[in-house]
Amino acid sequence: MATIEHVRIHPLNHGLTQLLVEIIDSDGVSGIGECWWGIPNAEVPGRGANPIAATVESVITPRIQGHDAHDVQRLWYEVMDFGQRYGDQGIFTMALAGVDLALWDLLGKRHDCPVVSLLGGAVHQRVPAYASLPPLRDPDVLAAECRRAVREGFAGIKLHEHEEDLVHLSREAAGPDVEIMVDVNGWFRPEQTRAFDDALVAARVLWFEEPISPMRDIDAIAAVSQTLETPLAGGENEYSLRDFERLLSARALTWVQPEITKIGGLTPALRISALTELYNTALAPHNFRLGPSLLASIHWGFASPQTTWFEVPFVPETMHVPSGLQRPTLIDGCITVPEEPGFGAFLPPSGD
Ligand SMILES: [Mg+2]
């Protein structure tokens, strides 16, 4: 038996804050996971990760230290069982995700086997990937980034823009052969979505993501979905299995996008992807960080028949990305089945 000896937090502040978790067992084998990166704090970049790091250190670590590192699912249920009275949504599951993912990575490394193989193997040979652009707002920058994403071989490009002109411009810049998705992060009131949908239809946009505010008003999203031509995507701000049951049973979404670092890691992700089979809804794991959380989403996605797209963050080249957080290789716009032990993640060299 190898027991959990150390749980270490590695905060990264390279323009995009990240919170990696390293778990080292009694044989010295380590696994790398990732928490949700924090509640944005515009004044002090990186500080928004503090409550999540503190939850890992002060609440979760004492409950898992000394336990068998192989008992990944048992530990998840024990920590959740304790934590539910303090919140099964938000900071608690954002923190638990880092620990759960580190334990899955460790399990794979101990067996010298990719996590997707531990899950029974991949059900796809390849899955298309889209470049997920941050909100850019500037037409010239947006056009240049769309052209760069096409050059780098992505099968799709997702914008975070809510202006019709920018939607048209992105189609012009990207050309006819890639898919375009548009995510407005709940920008519109329901009655404003029809006009915007006309622009999406004209630009042949594949999906319209989180169209309205409040983003979790499922009844309103279902009503809006009846009035729009463009199919809807969403779900990155849902947490529990019950949340996803409510969302999927409303039949409003064509793609559901759970975020592995918000829901609490791979252990709950497997239950949620099974639910997407029941509701025959396509799965497109949400992700906006390179490194452990993206790699974990890929292993998870390859194990579900519902997976149709992977989201890959695509930030301007001027933004420093540490080595060790590189993008997966694309072949014909697709990601192929991962072969490295665990999730294949490693810590960026310190000082990078
Ligand atoms: Mg989104």
Side-chain angles (χ1 to χ4, degrees), residues 158 160 183 185 209-210 236 286:
K158 189 167 86 182
H160 288 83
D183 183 357
N185 296 115
E209 181 171 331
E210 289 198 313
E236 69 186 81
H286 176 269

Side-chain angles (χ1 to χ4, degrees), residues 30-67:
S30 72
I32 312 296
E34 181 168 7
C35 302
W36 176 250
W37 45 270
I39 316 296
N41 183 317
E43 289 170 14
V44 189
R47 186 178 284 181
N50 289 359
I52 298 168
T55 304
V56 172
E57 281 170 346
S58 306
V59 180
I60 300 175
T61 298
R63 291 182 176 274
I64 63 167
Q65 248 169 350
H67 289 259

